[in-house]
Amino acid sequence: MKPVVKKRRLYFVMVHHPINGRIRVGSACAAVSDARYWLPIVRRAWRGLRVTMAQCTLVWHDGVLTAKSVETLDRQFNMLPPGETP
C-alpha cells in the first residue's frame, strides 16, 4: 500500500535582531497574504529592524509529522509541532 503524504506550507514573520538573530513574531500564517498583512505592523513596532517573511513546508507521512519538519520548526522558528503541548 502506498504511504499517504500530506504537505502544508506555512508563512512566518521574522525580525532580524542584531543581538538575538532571527526572531519569529506571532504565530504561523496559512497564506502569503496573511503574513504580508502583518509586515508593516511589525515594522512599526520593531522600529529600524529588518522584517521579512519566511516559509516552511511541513510534511506528514501517514498522519505523522516527519523528523525533519519537527527539527525545522524547533530550530528555525522556535515552535512546537502542531498538536503538541508543553
Side-chain angles (χ1 to χ4, degrees):
M1 183 170 208
K2 194 173 184 180
V4 177
V5 177
K6 180 181 174 190
K7 293 183 180 182
R8 183 170 180 197
R9 185 170 291 150
L10 298 175
Y11 301 92
F12 299 92
V13 177
M14 306 294 287
V15 172
H16 297 264
H17 194 274
I19 297 172
N20 298 332
R22 289 176 21 148
I23 302 170
R24 175 181 51 88
V25 179
S27 60
C29 298
V32 174
S33 58
D34 296 339
R36 281 192 187 136
Y37 171 80
W38 287 103
L39 288 177
I41 297 168
V42 174
R43 283 185 180 124
R44 282 193 301 265
W46 291 76
R47 296 179 187 107
L49 296 181
R50 194 171 73 144
V51 177
T52 59
M53 273 190 335
Q55 76 177 19
C56 174
T57 303
L58 301 180
V59 180
W60 283 268
H61 285 274
D62 292 329
V64 178
L65 196 60
T66 62
K68 184 178 178 183
S69 296
V70 171
E71 180 188 347
T72 301
L73 282 176
D74 184 39
R75 186 175 37 85
Q76 291 185 359
F77 302 109
N78 192 25
M79 188 174 188
L80 289 174
E84 287 190 20
T85 56

